[in-house]
Amino acid sequence: MLPRSPLIIVILSAAIVVAALYVTYRLVDPLPPRHLAIAAGAAGSGYDNFARQYARILARQGVALEIGNSVGAVENLALLRDPASGVQAAVATFGVTQPADADIFYSLGGIFDAAIFTFYRNAEPVTLFAQFRGKRLSIGMPGTALRLLMLEVLKATDALDASTQLLDPDYTQAIDALIAGEIDVVIVPQQDLNRVQHTLGTPGIRLMSVAQAEAISKTVPGLKHAVLWRGLLDLSRDLPNSDVDLLASRNRVLVRKDLHPALQYLLLEAMREVHWPAGPFNRLGEFPAEQPNDLPLSPTAQAFYRSGPTLWQRYTSFWLTSLLNRIAFFVIPVVLALIPVIGFALTFFRWLHIRRSERSTPRK
């Protein structure tokens, strides 16, 4: 039977270990929540469509993804900046952030490049934006990233003057107005290629091949040069009958820096499942991508792109992985740190017990 003093120290040490583990469990790395809100642009848009795919994937792990709709990427960022909105993630376009956003947001990486189609009415081909001076232009609704980016393009190419009219219909109304001859130029974000082919089937409507696409992409942040390859719309009819140079916006997922790393990882997994396939303007496996940008990549995203999933993430459930990570990175170090303390305490009290025994033993 242990002497009373060592027994007391064992009990106290055990209590300290339990208390440390409890504090670690509750405060140091809490389990991830089961709810997440994302700002995803207008209902029915490409952003909204991708967010709904993310929601279905996260639901498999018991996480509910609430989708908030807005006008577009600019409003998405405004919601993400506001802690009271409850929005913790957003789909957004490069080139529309503010310098202070680097203190609030992490990037999870690029997810797709959205081609920008410029339809116009003109007897002759138009290849320079400066040729649209004095025309009636629809370049996206106010509050959308497309409008901000295209305003920068029009300014950079000296395409704006006092006679140029900027109109604000939504994309469907703008195409209808172009067909009706009420608008001269309509600039819209990437659409289903069947819709592009249908629009081009209207007599008198052309698709602009942007001669300065590469130079513009190096001048206006957030844009890149894309190509609509010859025959991509319809191989049998050779539509288009030549390569078409386009501008494209670069898009990504942003999160607040306080979003739990485990939920960031779930979003990254969803992004990979949704954006991995090849598309008309990207190669297989090109997205999601660790892209150089104006915001820091989150530590979770850095590990995701450079190291891939851990062994636990490959072969266990999301929630079990979260628990194992907590044990590995917090509980085990605490226990290991306390073991020598307990050992020293036991040795010390054993020494004290021997000293007391020696003093109490009568000398012969």
Side-chain angles (χ1 to χ4, degrees):
M1 181 175 179
L2 285 172
R4 180 171 296 179
S5 294
L7 179 60
I8 291 173
I9 198 62
V10 169
I11 294 173
L12 289 176
S13 299
I16 292 173
V17 171
V18 171
L21 294 181
Y22 179 78
V23 171
T24 299
Y25 182 85
R26 294 299 302 270
L27 301 178
V28 178
D29 185 36
L31 280 171
R34 293 179 177 268
H35 178 270
L36 171 65
I38 187 170
S45 66
Y47 282 2
D48 181 62
N49 175 56
F50 290 135
R52 293 185 185 281
Q53 293 181 64
Y54 299 161
R56 288 192 290 270
I57 295 168
L58 266 61
R60 300 176 198 159
Q61 304 290 351
V63 176
L65 181 63
E66 177 187 345
I67 299 172
N69 294 119
S70 65
V71 174
V74 175
E75 189 175 341
N76 286 352
L77 290 180
L79 290 170
L80 193 60
R81 292 186 189 104
D82 182 9
S85 70
V87 171
Q88 298 151 290
V91 188
T93 303
F94 284 79
V96 295
T97 54
Q98 301 171 1
D101 289 338
D103 299 326
I104 308 171
F105 304 155
Y106 277 139
S107 171
L108 295 188
I111 52 174
F112 70 99
D113 296 330
I116 297 171
F117 295 102
T118 302
F119 299 105
Y120 64 95
R121 279 187 171 277
N122 204 67
E124 298 296 326
V126 171
T127 60
L128 300 174
F129 284 103
Q131 294 175 263
F132 291 143
R133 289 195 205 103
K135 303 291 185 180
R136 298 167 295 178
L137 277 68
S138 171
I139 61 172
M141 294 176 292
T144 61
L146 176 66
R147 188 180 182 91
L148 287 179
L149 291 173
M150 291 312 303
L151 277 173
E152 291 299 315
V153 171
L154 295 177
K155 291 174 184 177
T157 56
D158 196 24
L160 289 176
D161 62 15
S163 62
T164 304
Q165 301 179 51
L166 297 181
L167 307 175
D168 303 330
D170 64 32
Y171 301 128
T172 301
Q173 293 172 340
I175 292 294
D176 291 341
L178 178 67
I179 292 173
E182 299 167 359
I183 291 179
D184 301 309
V185 182
V186 172
I187 301 176
V188 296
Q190 185 167 327
Q191 301 180 334
D192 181 88
L193 293 185
N194 289 329
R195 294 185 62 185
V196 174
Q197 184 177 343
H198 174 74
T199 303
L200 291 177
T202 303
I205 293 182
R206 296 175 178 268
L207 176 63
M208 179 184 183
S209 183
V210 184
Q212 297 176 317
E214 188 66 28
I216 291 172
S217 69
K218 296 184 183 304
T219 303
V220 179
L223 294 177
K224 67 175 296 184
H225 180 196
V227 178
L228 179 65
W229 300 107
R230 175 174 180 168
L232 190 59
L233 295 180
D234 191 325
L235 279 172
S236 63
R237 294 192 292 163
D238 194 26
L239 295 177
N241 59 9
S242 62
D243 295 344
V244 179
D245 293 302
L246 303 173
L247 295 173
S249 63
R250 299 188 295 159
N251 298 274
R252 56 188 168 175
V253 172
L254 304 179
V255 297
R256 292 186 62 86
K257 286 189 173 181
D258 57 3
L259 180 64
H260 196 288
L263 290 184
Q264 294 183 37
Y265 183 83
L266 273 187
L267 272 175
L268 285 160
E269 287 280 14
M271 289 159 54
R272 180 165 59 185
E273 184 171 335
V274 171
H275 301 290
W276 186 268
F281 299 101
N282 67 276
R283 303 181 305 275
L284 176 69
E286 183 176 350
F287 293 106
E290 178 185 1
Q291 295 178 332
N293 53 64
D294 53 343
L295 294 174
L297 200 67
S298 83
T300 302
Q302 291 179 34
F304 178 86
Y305 290 117
R306 298 172 190 178
S307 306
T310 64
L311 181 66
W312 292 341
Q313 289 164 337
R314 290 178 186 274
Y315 299 108
T316 62
S317 70
F318 168 68
W319 297 103
L320 180 57
T321 296
S322 298
L323 180 60
L324 291 173
N325 282 336
R326 299 168 84 197
I327 292 173
F329 293 105
F330 296 101
V331 177
I332 290 177
V334 169
V335 172
L336 292 177
L338 289 174
I339 286 175
V341 174
I342 296 171
F344 173 78
L346 290 173
T347 302
F348 176 73
F349 277 92
R350 189 179 299 112
W351 176 78
L352 282 180
H353 176 69
I354 294 171
R355 285 288 301 270
R356 287 173 183 172
S357 298
E358 291 175 347
R359 287 178 181 178
S360 62
T361 302
R363 295 182 179 179
K364 294 182 180 180

